[in-house]
Amino acid sequence: MKVRVGYGLGTRTITNDAERFAALVDGLEALRFDSLWLSEKITDDCPDPVVALSFAAARTTKLKLGTSVMVLPGRNPMLLAKELASLDRLSGGRLLPAFGLGQVDPAEQQAFGVERTERAKRFDEALPLLRRFWTEDAVDHEGTFFRYEGAKVLPRPVQQPIEIWLGGVAPSELRRTGRLGDGWLPSFCTPDDVAAGRPEIERIAAEHDREIDPEHFGALVPYAVDGIPDVLAAFLAKRRPDIDVRDVVAPSVDALAPLLERFIEVGASKFVAVPIGEPSDWSTHLAEVADVVKPLQT
């Protein structure tokens, strides 16, 4: 099993100007982190993932480029297919798209113009269309939300196929991953969540005559830079009162490796470390994280 550790930014980040973002990207490339993952939230300070990953692609040659996650409902799948295929080609086949429904937040839903009750149906129709636009010469489709006749997207992405990752630990999200996903990358989850979720995803996939690569199971794992903030601890205690917050968030850089090892024990192998709070100096901090996590990589 190939263990790989990437690095991500949350939706509330101060790394959103050229100099600071470049320091992060350059540090990840120099230290041979597997990938960079960027979240999407219109109303918070995080940079747009496609724009920022294009910036990262131009500065790197090895670093993979992931979205964690990009909101799919509310987007035109034909235009999105063109955008992501272009990024995959210009990066030499380094794109790792992960999609979600979007946050249950009126301000965010206003941005995408999709009713909450329609999100799942739009997602289920749009995602297969992305795959078709990336592989078929012409797409004919008559659906509830989208209609295409002889539609084509060129040029094709380098990767054939582009593998699409999904997240979430709710029963509906596990079923969607089994039906539509190529990999599973949940966030704010425990090792026990992954241990329970993986066989359910594999069961659903088998019911749909699908198979998910056994090495395409992972997790976004937050870690604290200056201690777990009280507000985060309170949020997790309210959301998941049955768990220890340290099963979800590593309380320090040194605690990150032991938590990742627990995920590895239950079959996860692809990880994204996400800082809670950010350092003043990316170069020094990333070197400290690399010293902790790189021995885990196989």
Side-chain angles (χ1 to χ4, degrees):
M1 183 169 68
K2 296 179 181 178
V3 175
R4 296 289 182 268
V5 181
Y7 201 84
L9 294 177
T11 57
R12 297 175 182 176
T13 174
I14 60 174
T15 304
N16 50 27
D17 58 53
E19 182 177 359
R20 185 168 169 82
F21 188 72
L24 170 66
V25 170
D26 294 350
L28 293 174
E29 176 87 346
L31 292 164
R32 292 293 184 261
F33 277 83
D34 178 72
S35 47
L36 168 63
W37 296 77
L38 299 180
S39 303
E40 178 171 56
K41 192 174 182 184
I42 308 303
T43 56
D44 266 340
D45 285 335
C46 54
D48 177 85
V50 174
V51 173
L53 290 175
S54 298
F55 179 100
R59 297 183 71 90
T60 58
T61 59
K62 302 293 185 182
L63 192 69
K64 297 171 189 171
L65 311 165
T67 60
S68 60
V69 293
M70 192 174 189
V71 178
L72 185 54
R75 283 190 157 95
N76 181 317
M78 187 173 182
L79 298 182
L80 181 60
K82 173 74 173 187
E83 184 177 39
L84 295 181
S86 297
L87 179 53
D88 191 64
R89 285 188 70 89
L90 292 173
S91 67
R94 291 185 279 146
L95 178 65
L96 294 172
F99 295 113
L101 296 183
Q103 295 189 11
V104 180
D105 179 334
E108 290 296 298
Q109 290 168 325
Q110 174 179 250
F112 291 98
V114 174
E115 294 292 332
R116 181 178 176 182
T117 55
E118 286 189 354
R119 294 184 307 158
K121 292 178 181 178
R122 284 182 175 271
F123 188 103
D124 289 354
E125 186 175 341
L127 192 145
L129 281 168
L130 288 177
R131 288 198 174 100
R132 294 184 64 190
F133 285 129
W134 289 330
T135 58
E136 296 182 16
D137 292 332
V139 173
D140 295 318
H141 175 78
E142 184 78 21
T144 303
F145 303 104
F146 307 104
R147 292 170 177 80
Y148 298 105
E149 182 178 347
K152 62 181 178 180
V153 172
L154 293 172
R156 297 278 175 82
V158 171
Q159 297 182 82
Q160 289 293 339
I162 289 181
E163 294 173 329
I164 294 174
W165 294 64
L166 306 181
V169 296
S172 61
E173 293 168 318
L174 299 178
R175 291 193 296 270
R176 183 174 297 109
T177 301
R179 287 188 294 107
L180 298 173
D182 298 309
W184 185 42
L185 195 69
S187 59
F188 285 98
C189 61
T190 68
D192 287 343
D193 291 331
V194 172
R198 176 172 176 166
E200 178 64 8
I201 290 171
E202 291 175 327
R203 183 185 69 81
I204 296 297
E207 288 182 356
H208 290 80
D209 295 320
R210 304 183 70 243
E211 183 176 352
I212 295 177
D213 189 322
E215 295 200 359
H216 283 188
F217 291 87
L220 278 83
V221 182
Y223 70 94
V225 173
D226 296 312
I228 298 176
D230 291 341
V231 64
L232 176 60
F235 168 77
L236 289 172
K238 183 177 181 181
R239 180 179 177 183
R240 301 284 301 274
D242 56 323
I243 65 170
D244 186 330
V245 65
R246 291 168 295 183
D247 290 337
V248 177
V249 181
S252 66
V253 172
D254 288 339
L256 183 57
L259 183 54
L260 292 180
E261 287 172 341
R262 292 176 56 199
F263 280 102
I264 293 169
E265 289 172 0
V266 297
S269 62
K270 303 300 182 286
F271 302 105
V272 180
V274 181
I276 302 298
E278 294 182 7
S280 58
D281 176 24
W282 275 119
S283 179
T284 301
H285 182 73
L286 290 175
E288 294 172 355
V289 177
D291 286 343
V292 169
V293 302
K294 288 182 76 172
L296 299 176
Q297 296 195 130
T298 51

